[in-house]
Amino acid sequence: MTSIKVKLKEKDVAQLKQVCKEFNNEAGELINVLHKAQGIFGYLPAEVQEIVAQELNVSVAKVYGVVTFYSFFTMIPKGLHPISICTGTACYVRGAEKVLDEFKQQLNIKVGETTPDGKFSLSCLRCVGACGLAPVVLIGEKTYGRVSPDGVKDILKEYE
Amino acid sequence: MNKIKVNIDNTIVEVDPGTTILQAARQIDIDIPTLCYMHLGDMGIEHKPGGCRICVVEVKGRRNLAPACATECTEGMEIETHNIRVLNARKTVMELILSDHPSECLLCAKAGNCDLQTTAIKMGIREIPYQGEQSTYKEDTSPAIIRDMDKCIMCRRCETMCNEVQTVGVLSAINRGFMSVTAPAFERNLDHSECTYCGQCVAVCPTGALTEVDHTNQVIRHLADPNKVVVVQTAPAVRAALGEEFGLKPGTLVTGKLVAALRRLGFDYVFDTDFAADLTIMEEGTELLERLNKYLSGDKDVKLPMLTSCCPGWVNFFEYHFPDMLDIPSTARSPQQMFGAIAKNYFAEKINVKRENLVVVSIMPCVAKKYECTREEFSVNGNPDVDFALSTRELANLIKRANINFNKLNDEDFDRPLGESTGAGVIFGATGGVIEAAIRTAYEVQTGKKLEKVDFEQLRGLEGIRSAKVDFDGLELSIGIAHGLGNARKLLDDIRQGKSQYHAIEIMACPGGCIGGGGQPLHHGDSSILKARQRAIYEEDANKPIRKSHENPYIIQLYEEYLGKPLGERSHQLLHTSYFDKSKKLIEIEE
Ligand code: SF4
Ligand code: SF4
Ligand code: SF4
C-alpha cells in the first residue's frame, strides 16, 4: 500500500492508454495490460491502476485485487540501485542464500522491497548465465562475482 | 421441459434441467449448509462461487464429494447429504475455516445472527484442532459501517452485492491464500472510497466481518439524561419488518407495538417519519409540478426527468458517479432530515426546549442514514438535526436488552403533531411508493380535481426497472422506477445520453426499496420475505383514513403556523439541500 502521490509523466500516460487500446480496452485483458504497464513504469502505483481501471471500465478495487493476487506485480518502485541476487542452482549451491540474508540485514528490507530513502531495492533472479562467477549479484548494470556474505558491506559502500 | 428425477436421501424429487443439487434439496426441505451460496430470487442474483466447500454431498458413483451449490442434477442421480463421510468432510472444512477465525463470539456484534456460528453449532464443533496463525487486519470504521476483516471467511457475497447488484465497485477480493479478504482499492478505508453506505454488503455478510456502526449505547446515555428531551422518529419500512426479530411471521405489521416499545424505552415523544414523508411530498411534489409546467411552457433551462432524492444511498451514488448531473435530482431533503429540521426548529420552539437539549433519534431500515445525519449541511453550529440513526436490527436488540416482552405489548398511537401521517407517507417504504405518493398529491394540485382512485397498481411490484404512464386529466405523465443501484445506473446512463423518455423517476438504492434496506432484519436471500413486507406496507396504506399527503391536518397546520408555502423561503432553508461533486481522481499528470 502506498499513500504517496505520484506524478505521472504525460508521455508515459499516453503510452499506457495506447497499450489499453491495443488490447481493445477489454476488461478481460486486465492482466496483460498490467504486465505492459509494469514494463512502462517499473511498478504499478495507485495512479497507474486508476488509469487502467478507467480505460478498461473495471473498478479500481478489481484492478487492485489482481495486482495483489499475483506476486509478479509490485506497487513499490525499484530503488535507485536495484540489487538482484541470482538464486539459480549454481549460485544457490555456492551460498547465494547467505548473501541474500546479509543484504536483507544490512538494508533492513525484504525481497521485493525498497529502502525508505529509495536508494536500494532487493530482488531475486534466476540463472544469469555467469555460473562460473557464482554466487552472482547484479547492482544496476554492474555484476559482482563470487560474493561472500562478508563482502556485502564493502559492495554497499560503493554506493554511499 | 422434461423433468429430471433424482434421489436425495431416499426421497425422489423431480426438477428442471439445470437445477443444482442444493436447489433440489431445498425443494424438499433438506437443508444443506453453506456459507457462501446466496440466491436473491426475484433479483435474478445467484452467487455460487463454490468456495466454502461446506455444502459437499456424496453422489453415488463419484469418487470425490461434490459441492451441492455448483453440481447440476442429472437423471437418476443418487445423493446423500448427511452420511458419515459427508459429515466428517464438512467438519474438517469447518475446522479449517475456524482455524483462521477469531474465537470471540461472546463479544461479536453478529453473535446470534451469524451463519458461521449457527453452522458451527449445528455441526457440534467443540474444538479447533488446526491452530493456524491468525491473519490480522486493521479495523476500518466509517460513519456507518465497520469492516473487521479478521472475521472474513471469503464467501465473497459482499463483492457480488457491491459490484453486480449495486455496480458501485468498491469491494474486491485482494491478496491470496489465508491473507485473502475483500477490501476497497489500495485497502483504503471505506470513507475514502466511493461507498454509498447502502449496507447491502452488511446485509449479506454471513459473519461479523461487516456490521453497521452501533449507536445504541449513545442513545441509552441520552435517554438516561434528565436534562435531555429525546424524540424518536420511525421510518415506514421498520413497522413491516421489526416483528420478524421477535418471531412473528414476515409481513406482520407491528406499528402499535413499536410505538408502545419506544415509550417503554423512555423516549419522550414518539413520532413518525411518515409525517416527514408527507412533508417531502409537499415539497418534492410541488417542485415536480413547477419543473414540469415550466418545461411544458418551453423553458429550456428546466431539465426533466426529475429524480427523487429521499434515499441517501442513492444520493451518495450520484454524487460519486454522476457529478455532471447534480441538477437533476429534486433538492428536497430525505424524510429523515426533514423531520430533524422540523423537530429541532418548529417543535423545539413549540415545547420551548433549547436545540442543544433536544435529541432526535431515528429508527431506520437503513445504514446510509447513519452517514446522512453526519453530513455537515444538516447541522447547525455542530449540532446535527438528527443525532443518531439506529437500524431496525439495533432497535430489536435494544428492546430485548430492556427486557420488554414485545409480542405482549398493547398497541399504542404516535404522539402529535409530528406523529400523524397518511397512507401516502407509509408507502415510502416500498419501491414505487414515493412516486405514487407524489402523484396522489400532484394530480389534485395540477388538475384541481379530486383523485377518485388513489391506488396506482401500475407503479407497484418488484421488477428492478418499471415504467408506467399516468393520465393527468389529458396530460400523460411518464414515470420510471428503479431500485438497486445497478438498475438506477441504467436509467441514469439513458438520461446522460439524452435517451430518457421520463418526466419523473423514483430511485431507491436497496433492492425492494427500504423494506429491503441494509439495516433490516436479515432476510438471508429469501425474497418471499420482501414480498410479505411489501404487502404489509400497502395494507397499512389501505387502512389509513387519509391517504394523500396534502390532506394531513398536521401538515396543513405546519404550513399555516410556520413554513408558509411549499418551496417558500423557510422551506428552502430547512427542507431543501444541494449536492456535491465527490468524484475524486488521484491522478496527477506532469507535463
Ligand atoms: S455499503 Fe453498498 S456501496 Fe458500500 S461497500 Fe457495501 S455494497 Fe458497496
Ligand atoms: S466480508 Fe463478509 S460477505 Fe464479504 S467475503 Fe468476507 S465474510 Fe463474505
Ligand atoms: S433504499 Fe431505503 S434503506 Fe436503502 S439506502 Fe435508500 S433509504 Fe436507505
Side-chain angles (χ1 to χ4, degrees), chain B residues 60-99:
Chain B
K60 201 174 165 192
R62 287 199 195 183
R63 206 158 52 90
N64 294 328
L65 297 178
C69 71
T71 310
E72 286 184 10
C73 294
T74 55
E75 181 61 40
M77 211 181 226
E78 285 177 44
I79 302 145
E80 287 192 285
T81 70
H82 285 81
N83 66 23
I84 291 290
R85 181 173 171 219
V86 168
L87 290 182
N88 278 338
R90 256 182 221 154
K91 191 155 167 262
T92 307
V93 172
M94 191 61 168
E95 285 166 351
L96 277 172
I97 295 176
L98 291 177
S99 75

Side-chain angles (χ1 to χ4, degrees), chain A residues 64-85:
Chain A
Y64 179 71
V66 170
V67 169
T68 53
F69 186 83
Y70 294 99
S71 54
F72 169 81
F73 295 126
T74 172
M75 287 184 65
I76 304 167
K78 281 236 164 74
L80 187 60
H81 309 291
I83 305 173
S84 311
I85 292 148

Side-chain angles (χ1 to χ4, degrees), chain B residues 35-36 38 47 101 110 147-149 151-161 171 173 180-183 200-210:
Chain B
L35 291 172
C36 63
M38 170 175 79
H47 170 77
H101 195 90
K110 208 53 164 282
R147 292 176 55 248
D148 180 359
M149 287 304 112
K151 295 177 183 164
C152 175
I153 58 167
M154 270 313 270
C155 70
R156 303 178 73 166
R157 288 183 188 173
C158 56
E159 243 189 311
T160 294
M161 291 314 282
L171 296 175
S180 185
V181 292
T182 57
Q200 287 300 315
C201 53
V202 175
V204 299
C205 180
T207 73
L210 295 170

Side-chain angles (χ1 to χ4, degrees), chain A residues 1 5-10 13 46-47 49-51 54 59-62 64-65 68-71 75, chain B residues 138 163 168-176 183-188 584-591:
Chain A
M1 203 173 75
K5 275 209 173 178
V6 183
K7 284 202 171 164
L8 303 177
K9 292 206 181 73
E10 202 177 59
V13 172
E47 290 75 4
Q49 297 182 43
E50 298 219 343
I51 296 174
Q54 222 169 53
S59 71
V60 196
K62 169 95 207 197
Y64 179 71
T68 53
F69 186 83
Y70 294 99
S71 54
M75 287 184 65
Chain B
K138 69 177 171 23
N163 301 331
V168 178
V170 163
L171 296 175
S172 170
I174 61 156
N175 300 337
R176 54 160 66 205
F186 317 122
E187 284 156 83
R188 290 197 189 112
K584 37 190 152 186
K585 292 281 162 279
L586 260 182
I587 313 161
E588 275 181 49
I589 294 170
E590 213 169 52
E591 296 296 311

